[in-house]
Amino acid sequence: MTVILDGTATRHPISPVHDGIVAAIGSTPMVRLDRLFRTVSASVLAKVERANPGGSTKDRPAREMVEAALAEGRAVPGVTTIVESSSGNLGVALALVCAYHRLGLHVVTDPKASHTNLAIMRALGAQVEIVTERDRATGEFLPTRLLRVQELLASTPGALCLDQYNNPSGAAAHRRTAREIVDATGEPDVLFVAAGSCGSLRGIADHLRSSGAHTRIVAVDACGSAIFGSVAPPAPDYGRTLPGHGSTMVPGHFRDDLADDVVFVTDAECVAACRLLAEREAILAGGSSGAVIAAIAAYLPRLPAGSTVVTILPDGGDRYLHSIYDDAWVQNHIGIPAVLAASNRLEELLRR
């Protein structure tokens, strides 16, 4: 395509035409965060996963898990109902992929899921069930969600659970994420990845390790999470309120050698980093994106001059306008003083 501007012919690349919305998953953009990290000698880049059709990095494993089940005959269009536990983004991703492939979907979630994510799932035809009872042993919703999934599998004809926490196809989807990063940046010196189901961490680590890359992988986890065991600091007094990273249990994808380092962040730090990312870079991002930004800031003293640092921003902030970006919600669930203190610490780290 040739565009004429002031008499000058300018040639622009033509975007590919995909065979359906699911084929458009992946190949998300990379951007430099040179306004947020303007005083830093390292080059910090981010892969913006909200550009996926379903709005998050979970589109990748959703597509791979569903299409593997279809190829293997475990899922049949018009017959099978996928039953899955999700805190939000995977539910949206599965709703998109299942609608495209004519599969039913029953998502079991909890009150932490954003109202926008729930609305999107329903708009795409998913049945959404919200469990309200916490597990007695852990005080968390995840064990209750998983128990409800098992009950539904036993009572729903043609039901299938893809099991995002253990499904190898879900982790394998992120080998492509790693390839896209390397294709765009070369071999990064340090890569920050939020840890939740650990599918992205597993897939990215597997690809980089098998290709002989020397990239240092830093996992970003929540204070109070069970993923890295006793090394995790306890959650603050207000607990863990943001979905998307951290876990009540150790996922099946996890291995001790996936990450070279781990950085733990609080919800207050996530909120502060999300708001600063919006202010400085005009990137409206979700809580796990705030987590990786806060982790990079804390890690800066350990980065050699001239390092290439890459992170993944898992989703957008438009689904958290009534939580992360709402002062009343933040005050009720985290506390404005805690976020202000986290913001001051973050600003200090970025000035060093």
Side-chain angles (χ1 to χ4, degrees):
M1 177 176 67
T2 301
V3 179
I4 307 298
L5 297 174
D6 298 327
T8 302
T10 304
R11 184 164 296 279
H12 293 275
I14 299 175
S15 298
V17 176
H18 297 287
D19 293 329
I21 193 65
V22 169
I25 292 171
S27 300
T28 51
M30 297 279 293
V31 299
R32 295 187 186 279
L33 302 181
D34 53 3
R35 296 184 176 189
L36 184 59
F37 295 97
R38 63 184 182 276
T39 63
V40 177
S41 62
S43 176
V44 181
L45 304 98
K47 192 160 183 60
V48 185
E49 288 291 278
R50 69 174 299 171
N52 282 303
S56 84
T57 194
K58 291 293 188 179
D59 284 17
R60 297 173 184 265
R63 176 187 179 182
E64 293 297 323
M65 291 189 297
V66 167
E67 293 188 349
L70 289 167
E72 295 162 6
R74 293 183 293 118
V76 179
V79 176
T80 302
T81 295
I82 304 298
V83 180
E84 193 72 23
S85 162
S86 171
S87 61
N89 282 330
L90 181 74
V92 170
L94 283 174
L96 183 149
V97 177
C98 287
Y100 182 79
H101 286 294
R102 297 188 301 111
L103 298 169
L105 176 64
H106 190 130
V107 178
V108 180
T109 187
D110 61 59
K112 291 183 180 181
S114 81
H115 296 301
T116 304
N117 274 341
L118 300 179
I120 295 171
M121 290 181 222
R122 292 182 176 119
L124 286 167
Q127 182 176 348
V128 180
E129 181 175 344
I130 303 172
V131 300
T132 56
E133 184 177 345
R134 294 178 183 268
D135 174 59
R136 291 183 179 181
T138 63
E140 297 285 349
F141 290 111
L142 179 57
T144 309
R145 282 172 19 204
L146 295 177
L147 179 61
R148 180 57 181 153
V149 166
Q150 293 305 311
E151 293 172 349
L152 288 167
L153 289 174
S155 62
T156 306
L160 172 68
C161 178
L162 298 173
D163 188 8
Q164 65 161 318
Y165 308 102
N166 296 282
N167 192 318
S169 296
H174 289 288
R175 287 177 171 265
R176 178 181 171 186
T177 310
R179 288 195 300 271
E180 290 175 14
I181 290 171
V182 172
D183 287 346
T185 68
E187 184 181 306
D189 296 298
V190 188
L191 177 61
F192 288 78
V193 185
S197 68
C198 288
S200 56
L201 183 61
R202 176 68 176 269
I204 288 168
D206 283 351
H207 177 78
L208 292 176
R209 304 291 192 243
S210 63
S211 65
H214 296 92
T215 301
R216 190 167 193 81
I217 299 174
V218 181
V220 181
D221 198 7
C223 292
S225 170
I227 296 174
F228 289 91
S230 60
V231 300
D237 291 340
Y238 55 77
R240 287 198 302 118
T241 60
L242 298 178
H245 68 290
S247 179
T248 309
M249 65 179 192
V250 180
H253 294 307
F254 180 78
R255 287 198 320 249
D256 289 335
D257 62 348
L258 291 180
D260 299 293
D261 286 313
V262 58
V263 177
F264 296 94
V265 296
T266 66
D267 285 355
E269 291 168 331
C270 293
V271 171
C274 281
R275 293 183 174 203
L276 194 59
L277 188 61
E279 176 188 330
R280 300 275 178 85
E281 299 283 357
I283 296 175
L284 196 65
S288 51
S289 298
V292 294
I293 294 300
I296 294 172
Y299 205 85
L300 287 175
R302 303 178 61 181
L303 293 175
S307 298
T308 298
V309 178
V310 174
T311 192
I312 298 166
L313 304 182
D315 68 353
D318 47 337
R319 298 174 184 178
Y320 307 94
L321 296 178
H322 301 295
S323 55
I324 291 170
Y325 298 95
D326 184 275
D327 286 346
W329 185 94
V330 170
Q331 175 60 28
N332 289 334
H333 293 83
I334 299 174
I336 293 294
V339 172
L340 288 175
S343 182
N344 290 336
R345 288 194 300 272
L346 183 58
E347 292 274 18
E348 181 181 350
L349 288 167
L350 293 173
R351 283 195 297 268
R352 291 178 180 175

